[in-house]
Amino acid sequence: MATLAERTAILQPTGMTPLLTTAQLQALYGVSNWTVNEWVKAGCPVEPTSFRGRRFSAEAVRAWMAAQQPAAA
């Protein structure tokens, strides 16, 4: 199985980015399933799929998290 960096490099020429499973997002940020569920309730972007389960764009989640940070004074 390719790493996230390898998958990103493979998809880069197509303009696509790999989607992460909940478990992969948990591992990327070192958080629990409960935390990911709370993020989703708070508006964390979830990519639509034609199957059961959620997928996340690492870039969209990163941007969402940056927007959640309070503005520096």
Side-chain angles (χ1 to χ4, degrees):
M1 182 178 219
T3 66
L4 178 58
E6 292 168 341
R7 290 173 37 216
T8 301
I10 291 167
L11 290 173
Q12 188 174 16
T14 67
M16 298 173 69
T17 59
L19 297 178
L20 306 176
T21 64
T22 300
Q24 290 168 329
L25 188 66
Q26 288 174 231
L28 182 63
Y29 286 100
V31 297
S32 68
N33 188 54
W34 182 87
T35 299
V36 172
N37 288 334
E38 292 299 307
W39 288 352
V40 170
K41 289 178 192 175
C44 180
V46 177
E47 298 296 320
T49 63
S50 60
F51 50 87
R52 191 169 180 215
R54 296 186 288 213
R55 295 293 184 267
F56 301 89
S57 164
E59 291 177 7
V61 172
R62 194 173 297 115
W64 177 80
M65 291 183 80
Q68 302 308 301
Q69 299 299 318

